[in-house]
Amino acid sequence: MDFSIVSILMLDGITNAAVYALLGLATVLVFSVTRVIFIPQGEFVAYGALTLAIFRTGQVPGTVWLLLIMAALAAAMDVHQRWLHTRLAAQAVTAGLRTLAVPLVVAGLSIWAAPLNPPLLVQAVLTVAIVTAFGPLVYRVAYQSLADASSLVLLIVSVGVHFAMTGLGLLFFGAEGFRNPSFWDARFSVGPLSVSGQAIIIFGVSLALIVLLWQFFSRTLYGKALQATAVNRLGARLMGISTHGAGQTTFAMAALIGALSGLLIGPTTTVFYDSGFLIGLKGFVAAVMGGLHSYPLAAVGALFVGLVEAFGSFWASAFKEVIVFTLVLPILLWRSVAGGHDEEH
Amino acid sequence: MSPKKSLIAAAATLVITGAALADITIGVSLPLTGPASGLGIPVGNQIKLWPTSIAGEKVKIIVLDDATDPTNGVKNAKRFVTDDKVDVMLGSVATPVAIPMAAVAAEAETVQLAFSPMQLPPGKDGWTFRMPQSTPVMAHAIVGLMKKQGIKTVGFLGYTDAYGESWLKDFTTEADKNGIKVIATERFARSDTSVTAQALKLVAANPDAMLVVASGSGAAMPHMAVVERGFKGKIYQTHAAASRDLMRVGGKDVEGAFVVSGPAVIAEQLPDSHPSKTLAIQYVQQYEKAYGVGSRNQFAAHGFDALLVLEKAVPLALKAGKPGTKEFRAGLRTALETMGRTVVSHGVLNWTKDDHWGFTLETGVMLKVVNGDWKVE
């Protein structure tokens, strides 16, 4: 093993790590605001990559229909709830329409644009819009009414959502994998390394998102409000912060991050309907290394997972996954011994 | 209910169950979801095209999803033999699922027609017959071409599962006989997002050729990784990769790849002298009429062949007993073992008492990817 091999492996590891970092951040984000351990985070990645792949074939992706169905379901739930609350038909209908508005616009645009085969960038934007719109709906349908339940109940719901989303993915995208075209086809040679334009985009987007999230939570009022929900739900509600609104926003952000991750990895690997799970799991491992509450530690954890994976597959490719997941054990052990009980709730 | 009515009802039930007993019941367990669903769905599609009777006997087909999960496979197999009292069970396409199903088949003394080339310990495959070509048969074709092309060393990049393992074992044996050495072995999983590290190590070993062992669209990514690392030698793929998904995902990078395949996939290009040509064309036309041009694949043809085999074996088995009985099931096994040379769309089968693999050595056809299409090499 010489320097050139080490550097190629490092590059490969860091490229993967950038995506794991994004998913790790999304996991931390969702957990810290809603206490949901969001296992289906990876499914958003697969949905993102595959929705774009279907757009490329000039068809309307099945996710658009799912979006409409989910929106109808969420709207019905909203109407029902508002009706029980106020007994005012007009208010109930307004609540339902508000839930329906965004998904209807996104779905309408997609159905109109898909057969026209617009440029790659337009298709990518539509894809991000579709998948992001899923976020609040998933929260509304699966989690909102259980928002005050224990973490364990929310985790069990997550497992259910994961299986549902994987199954629907198979229905919409079929069993075979897709590979998307690169957003930037350039290649740069640095010594023994050959860095692809796509890799640079991956680094850029990941870094930008990490900085944005950090700024969002430390500088904006809305970010602080979200954090307040995480620290004390009841207190936040007394201060006039809508905890349901906070949950939906968080899920929208998580879905957005997932969709972007999907677009980023789509050109570098073959994505299958069920590819998201393992990618999401590695992001989850990164998030666990950050104790599910620290963004910088989650990013470092992701870097660690990516590098271990790259070098693990070089030295003992047959045991790569075993190596990655076994290395988590001592870290968990150390966290439980050294970290104590510092959870904020 | 009056006594008279209940008597009629009882008689009717008797007639119905009597008729049901005479039906041939077939249990099919396929991975319609999960990692191997790319293999299972085409077979399921083909079975949907089956006729409603075989050799004049009505057929009842039960298709269950095993989700590429061995536990589900066993559950399905147990259901077949205890609840449905099947005469023959089909499946699975996924090797890890088909293996435990074989144990159930043997215990219940029910014939299993497996769609996967699985290895079983000697004596454990008494009731299991495999529809796909064995890895030695396919490895024979690959090594034959390698020898012709003067290849001396090979790098192996395969799945970390039973499919990868059996290829490594059988290919190494066959290669050794012909003076070809496997000098580097690397593994990957279908869910991996990158095989750069493995490709790096293989290219560093500098073999004359690479053998990629993977299935469906999953076979493109490792191929591309090896090309991306600057490998200039020939790259070979196994018959699980012999579907158009290889070109769809791999694009330009898989140009010039050598892929071993059963004859069914390239029906039209087979020489007229090939025994399977007529049946292969029949399969392709039937399948593509139902599922679109270019939808043909290696796996659905196994479903087509299973029907051919049953159509030949059932009349022989009917001499032993009625469907639904132990005698019929035993008769079916004897029929499969003694029916001799049977031409199917995927080659020529010849099962015997000691050999439940069946396909003869000349079955494998080498294809080359030329301009995004198959060409017989």
Side-chain angles (χ1 to χ4, degrees):
Chain A
M1 174 177 260
D2 54 17
F3 177 70
S4 70
I5 291 183
V6 172
S7 54
I8 294 171
L9 287 180
M10 294 265 275
L11 179 71
D12 187 49
I14 297 172
T15 318
N16 277 333
V19 175
Y20 299 155
L22 283 183
L23 298 177
L25 294 189
T27 308
V28 171
L29 175 73
V30 169
F31 181 75
S32 61
V33 177
T34 64
R35 294 175 307 119
V36 171
I37 293 175
F38 195 49
I39 294 170
Q41 181 64 42
E43 259 65 75
F44 286 137
V45 179
Y47 274 33
L50 294 171
T51 302
L52 181 61
I54 303 289
F55 267 130
R56 297 292 301 160
T57 64
Q59 288 168 318
V60 180
T63 32
V64 173
W65 310 120
L66 179 64
L67 186 65
L68 289 175
I69 295 169
M70 295 257 308
L73 205 62
M77 288 168 87
D78 276 337
V79 169
H80 177 70
Q81 199 187 24
R82 187 47 69 94
W83 172 251
L84 287 184
H85 224 65
T86 61
R87 297 275 162 194
L88 290 172
Q91 273 208 20
V93 172
T94 321
L97 285 179
R98 201 178 297 144
T99 312
L100 273 177
V102 176
L104 274 183
V105 172
V106 171
L109 270 177
S110 308
I111 293 169
W112 170 73
L116 303 176
N117 238 328
L120 180 60
L121 217 59
V122 177
Q123 293 175 329
V125 170
L126 280 176
T127 303
V128 171
I130 294 171
V131 179
T132 308
F134 269 118
L137 298 177
V138 169
Y139 180 76
R140 178 68 191 89
V141 172
Y143 296 100
Q144 188 162 307
S145 47
L146 293 167
D148 292 314
S150 70
S151 277
L152 182 64
V153 171
L154 295 172
L155 174 67
I156 294 167
V157 173
S158 284
V159 174
V161 173
H162 158 68
F163 280 120
M165 285 184 78
T166 321
L168 289 167
L170 176 65
L171 183 68
F172 297 142
F173 307 117
E176 289 299 341
F178 289 91
R179 206 180 177 107
N180 290 332
S182 232
F183 288 98
W184 188 17
D185 254 332
R187 279 207 161 269
F188 305 94
S189 297
V190 191
L193 284 181
S194 154
V195 186
S196 67
Q198 187 66 28
I200 293 173
I201 295 181
I202 294 180
F203 296 139
V205 172
S206 300
L207 213 64
L209 270 175
I210 291 170
V211 172
L212 270 177
L213 274 180
W214 171 50
Q215 290 289 316
F216 175 72
F217 279 106
S218 61
R219 296 285 172 88
T220 66
L221 191 62
Y222 204 81
K224 286 182 176 162
L226 283 188
Q227 265 190 328
T229 333
V231 176
N232 189 332
R233 292 175 64 79
L234 186 63
R237 222 170 326 178
L238 289 173
M239 300 278 69
I241 299 169
S242 156
T243 47
H244 289 340
Q248 296 197 358
T249 313
T250 312
F251 268 71
M253 287 165 78
L256 170 72
I257 294 173
L260 284 174
S261 311
L263 296 188
L264 291 177
I265 63 159
T268 61
T269 185
T270 313
V271 180
F272 297 85
Y273 74 98
D274 61 348
S275 291
F277 180 62
L278 216 58
I279 302 171
L281 199 59
K282 281 170 191 158
F284 176 69
V285 167
V288 167
M289 289 185 188
L292 280 177
H293 69 262
S294 162
Y295 294 98
L297 276 182
V300 172
L303 201 62
F304 179 73
V305 172
L307 288 176
V308 165
E309 194 184 28
F311 283 88
S313 33
F314 186 80
W315 278 315
S317 56
F319 300 105
K320 188 196 77 180
E321 236 66 271
V322 180
I323 293 171
V324 171
F325 292 116
T326 310
L327 275 180
V328 175
L329 294 179
I331 291 166
L332 284 180
L333 203 65
W334 172 76
R335 280 205 65 87
S336 73
V337 172
H341 297 284
D342 56 1
E343 277 97 301
E344 295 180 38
H345 47 82
Chain B
M1 214 184 259
S2 71
K4 201 175 165 190
K5 265 190 188 159
S6 57
L7 204 70
I8 294 170
T13 325
L14 210 76
V15 170
I16 291 164
T17 41
L21 270 178
D23 288 357
I24 300 176
T25 318
I26 301 177
V28 187
S29 174
L30 293 171
L32 300 175
T33 56
S37 48
L39 288 56
I41 291 167
V43 181
N45 284 342
Q46 177 65 42
I47 288 174
K48 281 186 204 144
L49 303 177
W50 277 25
T52 49
S53 67
I54 291 176
E57 299 287 319
K58 268 187 68 126
V59 174
K60 189 176 150 214
I61 301 175
I62 305 152
V63 181
L64 297 182
D65 177 20
D66 60 39
T68 327
D69 181 350
T71 323
N72 282 340
V74 171
K75 221 187 292 169
N76 291 349
K78 288 205 168 127
R79 197 198 117 165
F80 288 151
V81 298
T82 53
D83 296 3
D84 302 320
K85 309 258 187 291
V86 299
D87 297 299
V88 50
M89 67 169 92
L90 268 48
S92 171
V93 193
T95 304
V97 184
I99 289 173
M101 281 178 69
V104 181
E107 198 187 338
E109 306 194 332
T110 304
V111 166
Q112 175 196 21
L113 290 178
F115 297 124
S116 110
M118 58 181 172
Q119 307 278 353
L120 288 171
K124 296 277 182 196
D125 65 348
W127 290 85
T128 299
F129 296 81
R130 300 151 183 96
M131 292 311 302
Q133 297 83 1
S134 67
T135 31
V137 164
M138 290 312 214
H140 177 83
I142 291 191
V143 170
L145 183 62
M146 282 183 171
K147 209 173 155 192
K148 219 162 73 185
Q149 291 170 335
I151 282 158
K152 293 267 167 284
T153 52
V154 177
F156 176 96
L157 180 54
Y159 276 165
T160 48
D161 64 9
Y163 186 66
E165 287 310 304
S166 63
W167 260 96
L168 181 61
K169 190 170 139 275
D170 294 328
F171 178 79
T172 313
T173 319
E174 186 70 26
D176 277 347
K177 270 191 245 161
N178 291 280
I180 298 172
K181 284 264 154 309
V182 178
I183 54 170
T185 310
E186 291 295 319
R187 312 296 166 79
F188 69 102
R190 196 193 71 134
S191 51
D192 285 358
T193 48
S194 158
V195 286
T196 306
Q198 291 92 322
L200 210 60
K201 213 168 170 183
L202 285 171
V203 174
N206 199 22
D208 296 339
M210 295 279 183
L211 175 67
V212 176
V213 179
S215 65
S217 44
M221 206 254 294
H223 193 117
M224 294 165 90
V226 171
V227 172
E228 206 170 280
R229 291 266 68 89
F231 183 68
K232 293 276 179 278
K234 296 186 166 61
I235 304 177
Y236 289 79
Q237 293 261 8
T238 65
H239 51 309
S243 78
R244 254 159 221 285
D245 293 306
L246 182 68
M247 283 88 106
R248 178 174 60 78
V249 177
K252 263 195 133 40
D253 282 347
V254 298
E255 272 297 306
F258 295 100
V259 184
V260 68
S261 165
V265 188
I266 28 88
E268 296 86 349
Q269 288 189 44
L270 290 173
D272 285 335
S273 57
H274 199 289
S276 294
K277 182 154 186 171
T278 327
L279 284 165
I281 287 179
Q282 204 183 323
Y283 150 68
V284 166
Q285 283 174 348
Q286 187 194 45
Y287 194 80
E288 298 203 338
K289 194 175 154 223
Y291 301 107
V293 175
S295 58
R296 67 178 75 174
N297 58 75
Q298 170 92 15
F299 314 105
H302 296 321
F304 183 83
D305 291 348
L307 178 66
L308 293 178
V309 164
L310 286 177
E311 277 175 342
K312 187 164 178 185
V314 165
L316 300 173
L318 280 173
K319 287 179 197 151
K322 274 216 165 313
T325 61
K326 202 176 161 202
E327 290 73 29
F328 179 75
R329 294 203 301 271
L332 203 54
R333 175 166 87 146
T334 322
L336 290 171
E337 280 171 347
T338 54
M339 68 187 185
R341 192 182 144 90
T342 306
V343 180
V344 292
S345 75
H346 248 320
V348 181
L349 278 168
N350 196 359
W351 282 314
T352 62
K353 203 166 167 15
D354 307 310
D355 180 14
H356 283 190
W357 282 98
F359 277 106
T360 52
L361 275 181
E362 66 269 78
T363 295
V365 181
M366 288 306 295
L367 309 177
K368 190 179 177 184
V369 179
V370 179
N371 296 326
D373 206 348
W374 301 121
K375 203 170 156 286
V376 172
E377 181 68 12

